Amino acid sequence: ERRGGAAAERILEGEWWRTLTATTLHADSEHFLGNMLSGYFIFNLLRRRMGPGTSMTLLTLAAALTNWTVAAVSPAYYFSIGFSTVVFAGLGLLAGVETRHFPRGLRPGLRSLTPLLGAFFLAVMTGLGERSDIKAHFIGFGFGVLMAPAAFWLARRGSETPAWQLAAVLAVYAAYGAAWWLAIG
């Protein structure tokens, strides 16, 4: 935790790798299991919609931006860890993608935002637990939603090919490996 946690002051001083390494750490087994269980379902839906490489790339970017933003808007002593940042970014990304795919009826309005609003209220219900990083949960959800247009942009440029998906998965693993190498080294 000391070398990889999202310490606000350290991130803003240039230790960018903490924006990634913090997502691999957990406070306790309950948080770990909760993130793995909810993440399993969310990430599988994203994988089916856009492929593993695209979803992993966008979630990694959303998580890094979230942890940097949280550091920027928090006191210097702020410290957080956990994969829930990625899970909430995944929920936001899924909501953004599904909102765009949602069938449009003859009457536009709130009904067309059903996936986005449903996911937001789910985030509210699940993201307010004790010892939860509420700020990171909601900023992560927001960055996830903001990544949805990038998913469509990438799809229009051929990101659905197996070669691109594999390259993107390997790039994400390399980014996390480099982040931990910098944290430990």
Side-chain angles (χ1 to χ4, degrees):
E1 287 183 18
R2 186 174 52 82
R3 291 178 181 251
E9 185 175 27
R10 304 297 276 284
I11 290 171
L12 296 177
E13 289 175 351
E15 294 184 13
W16 63 266
W17 56 87
R18 290 176 177 270
T19 63
L20 294 180
T21 55
T23 65
T24 65
L25 303 170
H26 285 85
D28 54 45
S29 59
E30 290 83 16
H31 280 97
F32 175 77
L33 291 173
N35 286 331
M36 293 302 108
L37 183 61
S38 56
Y40 174 80
F41 294 105
I42 294 167
F43 301 152
N44 268 306
L45 290 170
L46 286 170
R47 178 189 55 82
R48 288 175 185 227
R49 182 59 90 178
M50 66 186 72
T54 300
S55 58
M56 288 173 66
T57 299
L58 295 177
L59 292 174
T60 301
L61 182 57
L65 288 170
T66 296
N67 283 330
W68 187 89
T69 302
V70 168
V73 300
S74 298
Y77 60 83
Y78 196 81
F79 183 86
S80 67
I81 58 173
F83 191 66
S84 59
T85 304
V86 182
V87 173
F88 278 85
L91 185 60
L93 177 57
L94 183 61
V97 167
E98 293 305 314
T99 297
R100 178 143 180 214
H101 284 294
F102 196 72
R104 304 286 186 234
L106 296 175
R107 294 188 279 176
L110 283 179
R111 187 175 296 179
S112 64
L113 298 176
T114 297
L116 184 61
L117 294 173
F120 176 76
F121 289 116
L122 179 63
V124 169
M125 290 173 23
T126 60
L128 300 176
E130 186 179 336
R131 294 179 56 197
S132 292
D133 191 349
I134 297 166
K135 194 183 312 182
H137 289 176
F138 289 100
I139 293 172
F141 181 87
F143 274 118
V145 171
L146 292 175
M147 291 294 152
F152 295 107
W153 183 84
L154 288 168
R156 286 192 303 273
R157 280 153 184 75
S159 68
E160 295 173 353
T161 65
W164 195 95
Q165 292 295 322
L166 177 61
V169 167
L170 294 175
V172 168
Y173 285 137
Y176 273 96
W180 269 111
W181 183 78
L182 289 168
I184 293 171

